Amino acid sequence: MAKNTVSSARFRKVDVDEYDENKFVDEEEGGENQLGPDENEVDSCIRQGNMLAALQAALKNPPINTKNQALKDRAENLVLKVLTSYKSSDIDKAIQSLDKNGVDLLMMYIYRGFEKPSENSSAIFLQWHEKALAVAGVGSIVRVLTARKTV
Amino acid sequence: MCYYSFLVEPISCHAWNKDRTQIAFCPNNHEVHIYKKDGNKWTKVHELKEHNGQVTGIDWAAESNRIVTCGTDRNAYVWTLKGDTWKPTLVILRINRAARCVKWSPKENKFAVGSGSRLISICYFEQDNDWWVCKHIKKPIRSTVLSLDWHPNNILLAAGSCDFKCRVFSAYIKEVEEKPAPTPWGSKMPFGEVMFESSGSAGWVHSVCFSGSGNRLVWVSHDSTVCITDANKKTEVACLITDCLPLLAATFITENSVVAAGHDCCPKLFVYDEKKGEVTFQGKLDVPKQSSQKGMTARERFKNLDKKATSETNDVTLETLHKNSISQISVLEGGKGKCAKFCTTGMDGGMAIWDIKSLESAMKDLKIV
């Protein structure tokens, strides 16, 4: 017969997908060298005015495989710092200096930046997004969307 | 190249007969229609109605003139022409999810069906019982098998699946064939053995294709990459990350060149450089004729402003032949070793036939190696 389940609705919070024995689990890849970019290195490059080196440094050791959320946040903030200190006219040159994988990585950071907009960040990210798109095409966006493990 | 628009609905899958006078395809419903070439037109000659779900794969065996179809109703049928009609024979695949793709083996004594049940059914005809029997390849597939392609030796089978991997399996059935000779892919080939498994890709593998010799394998995946591996180079993988939308179909046209097409609605040429071990993008094969830039009269400008709120001549229509994604490519003439013509069908319900010689002369920088 009908049973009132409004009060005892604990069963509604069960995630049935967790119990599916055929559930797809990604392969675990080692997350050792994934310390994230070096803050000191990036800061010193910015202070010296060497923007190209700052960008390279910020994109080094991307924390892709770790589950450490704080590490990922730190990396994202660092990249945001570098991208904001860039002059609009230098953005093109900066993207030219990156290789294909570098531009894909930059796109991943840009989309991460879109997720948590702060004061002026969206405008800056949009500017970088437009330039990166001109170089890498929609394929780079597709790779950000299909990546199993992102920054 | 010529383009024929069959329908408004997408063409789910297609297959050609041996002399390329008839084409069988599924018009995005439960049936298979066979059209016959009639000069410049195509007339429908047969309708194959047996499936209870959308037909997802069709393959037409050239020599034995049999058609195999598979669908979302978890069934496959082998059709033989008796007089003037096609008669179906049910094949029990023992799957509990939709079948996704089907391919006859080169010798046409067996066929493989990829399905959402995370397995491949290899079906062969058992003479004693007058019945099609199937064997399953299960491990280590972990998601839907999207595409299949047989190696010329009738034993090895490449499978691309949604678990982001492209694999080469052995589909050796001792009841119908002799023990195979060693190949660059390996020498021990018991049924279900994994001879090669790709790694590192992050997208569903939409299409796989062996080269004419069977030594090379190309696969395209949903993360907009094209990868080629060469068994003679210890299956080193050469990957090209492209800047276009994901590709859905790929085929070798010579031992070094691949034509691939997908959501960009345009076939593209890729070339594999054996020495450097890398894949490069050579160009789009669908260069639209440059329409002359007409000057706009004042009247046209005002009309545009009124209708579209813009006075620019920005044309928003696609300039490619296909107006929607291309979902399948098939080689018509010349085989995978020296293709002379290939055919594409897509979600715009149209079929285009491309002639390699005229493409080469139309695109001056294009060199098909």
Side-chain angles (χ1 to χ4, degrees):
Chain A
M1 278 296 289
K3 184 173 167 188
N4 187 346
T5 59
V6 171
S7 47
S8 59
R10 271 171 319 196
F11 68 88
R12 296 192 193 279
K13 299 210 179 89
V14 172
D15 181 9
V16 288
D17 286 330
E18 288 296 315
Y19 300 100
D20 181 5
E21 47 200 33
N22 291 333
K23 184 173 155 93
F24 184 85
V25 177
D26 276 295
E27 291 163 4
E28 288 300 319
E29 273 168 57
E32 303 98 17
N33 256 342
Q34 309 275 319
L35 300 165
D38 189 3
E39 269 197 76
N40 298 327
E41 195 183 337
V42 175
D43 282 335
S44 66
C45 287
I46 297 183
R47 253 176 288 129
Q48 288 166 5
N50 190 350
M51 297 313 296
L52 282 177
L55 186 62
Q56 305 278 5
L59 292 178
K60 249 199 285 196
N61 286 339
I64 292 186
N65 282 331
T66 61
K67 300 211 179 81
N68 188 342
Q69 192 53 40
L71 189 60
K72 294 195 179 202
D73 288 337
R74 204 152 32 93
E76 175 60 33
N77 289 332
L78 209 54
V79 173
L80 171 58
K81 203 175 358 169
V82 175
L83 297 189
T84 6
S85 8
Y86 253 87
K87 283 197 289 276
S88 315
S89 42
D90 291 339
I91 297 185
D92 276 320
K93 235 192 311 158
I95 300 196
Q96 306 287 358
S97 74
L98 295 172
D99 64 346
K100 273 197 173 177
N101 290 328
V103 185
D104 278 349
L105 187 56
L106 180 64
M107 261 305 189
M108 266 198 227
Y109 275 115
I110 291 175
Y111 273 90
R112 272 268 288 157
F114 282 149
E115 284 173 34
K116 296 200 194 77
S118 58
E119 278 276 324
N120 234 349
S121 68
S122 293
I124 296 166
F125 278 126
L126 277 172
Q127 231 182 351
W128 279 86
H129 182 275
E130 184 191 345
K131 306 280 184 195
L133 184 62
V135 170
V138 282
S140 63
I141 301 182
V142 173
R143 274 182 288 283
V144 173
L145 296 173
T146 58
R148 299 293 292 177
K149 302 182 178 99
T150 89
V151 234
Chain B
M1 46 252 179
C2 56
Y3 179 81
Y4 188 82
S5 176
F6 277 106
L7 337 132
V8 180
E9 297 88 17
I11 294 183
S12 317
C13 48
H14 75 267
W16 290 87
N17 70 343
K18 180 171 181 183
D19 53 9
R20 314 310 192 198
T21 54
Q22 295 189 32
I23 181 173
F25 61 79
C26 168
N28 205 38
N29 59 13
H30 303 337
E31 305 167 358
V32 175
H33 294 176
I34 301 187
Y35 279 69
K36 192 169 169 153
K37 198 167 166 88
D38 201 358
N40 261 346
K41 291 188 285 104
W42 292 85
T43 40
K44 192 186 323 191
V45 288
H46 291 114
E47 276 188 19
L48 276 45
K49 296 188 217 219
E50 195 76 21
H51 278 283
N52 279 326
Q54 190 198 24
V55 180
T56 50
I58 306 182
D59 201 15
W60 199 321
E63 303 303 322
S64 48
N65 205 34
R66 289 176 296 184
I67 300 180
V68 63
T69 59
C70 72
T72 56
D73 58 354
R74 313 185 299 266
N75 287 334
Y77 291 94
V78 175
W79 304 77
T80 30
L81 189 61
K82 294 241 167 38
D84 216 5
T85 45
W86 287 90
K87 291 268 183 306
T89 312
L90 173 67
V91 179
I92 307 270
L93 297 172
R94 294 184 283 131
I95 55 182
N96 55 10
R97 294 287 187 280
R100 263 314 239 104
C101 50
V102 64
K103 273 277 169 75
W104 280 109
S105 70
K107 292 212 184 87
E108 294 167 20
N109 50 3
K110 39 182 193 179
F111 60 88
V113 181
S115 65
S117 305
R118 308 130 52 93
L119 50 82
I120 305 174
S121 302
I122 311 285
C123 308
Y124 59 98
F125 196 66
E126 209 166 67
Q127 276 300 113
D128 319 329
N129 293 332
D130 195 23
W131 183 240
W132 288 89
V133 178
C134 80
K135 278 198 177 163
H136 285 165
I137 298 180
K138 270 190 136 150
K139 293 196 172 42
I141 307 176
R142 294 168 63 213
S143 190
T144 308
V145 176
L146 285 180
S147 58
L148 297 167
D149 193 37
W150 286 92
H151 185 283
N153 74 353
N154 212 55
I155 308 283
L156 297 176
L157 178 68
S161 97
C162 281
D163 59 2
F164 322 121
K165 297 211 183 291
C166 166
R167 300 184 178 89
V168 175
F169 291 99
S170 158
Y172 166 62
I173 305 272
K174 59 185 193 305
E175 283 89 345
V176 298
E177 54 205 348
E178 301 286 313
K179 238 191 157 118
T183 67
W185 294 97
S187 29
K188 277 199 169 286
M189 290 179 261
F191 180 81
E193 179 84 358
V194 180
M195 314 301 291
F196 166 73
E197 184 176 271
S198 74
S199 57
S201 190
W204 307 315
V205 179
H206 284 295
S207 176
V208 295
C209 185
F210 271 112
S211 67
S213 66
N215 291 331
R216 297 198 182 143
L217 181 64
V218 64
W219 66 93
V220 283
S221 90
H222 202 74
D223 61 354
S224 298
T225 56
V226 178
C227 298
I228 296 187
T229 183
D230 193 342
N232 284 330
K233 292 179 103 194
K234 299 217 176 67
T235 66
E236 225 166 62
V237 176
C239 213
L240 172 69
I241 52 181
T242 69
D243 62 354
C244 55
L245 291 177
L247 298 158
L248 291 175
T251 181
F252 272 96
I253 50 171
T254 65
E255 193 67 14
N256 294 315
S257 306
V258 171
V259 166
H263 290 293
D264 268 339
C265 319
C266 165
K268 302 188 178 177
L269 180 67
F270 296 89
V271 159
Y272 176 65
D273 184 328
E274 191 177 342
K275 278 204 207 63
K276 288 195 235 160
E278 53 185 41
V279 187
T280 46
F281 170 58
Q282 293 296 94
K284 293 194 193 175
L285 293 179
D286 190 355
V287 175
K289 290 192 260 290
Q290 298 293 345
S291 53
S292 53
Q293 278 285 49
K294 302 182 289 228
M296 284 247 274
T297 63
R299 191 204 170 101
E300 278 172 8
R301 213 180 276 274
F302 183 71
K303 199 156 85 163
N304 266 343
L305 205 58
D306 183 40
K307 233 204 285 187
K308 298 185 216 171
T310 167
S311 49
E312 287 174 5
T313 46
N314 239 337
D315 204 4
V316 289
T317 55
L318 260 184
E319 291 189 351
T320 51
L321 214 52
H322 277 281
K323 299 302 179 200
N324 206 330
S325 312
I326 295 177
S327 51
Q328 194 178 341
I329 299 184
S330 55
V331 170
L332 289 184
E333 271 177 32
K336 286 191 237 168
K338 223 169 164 7
C339 175
K341 279 205 186 132
F342 63 90
C343 156
T344 51
T345 57
M347 308 209 200
D348 56 352
M351 171 206 55
I353 299 185
W354 309 76
D355 183 272
I356 301 272
K357 279 235 161 36
S358 46
L359 283 174
E360 267 180 324
S361 51
M363 271 146 254
K364 291 154 260 163
D365 303 325
L366 205 76
K367 256 180 298 178
I368 300 189
V369 289

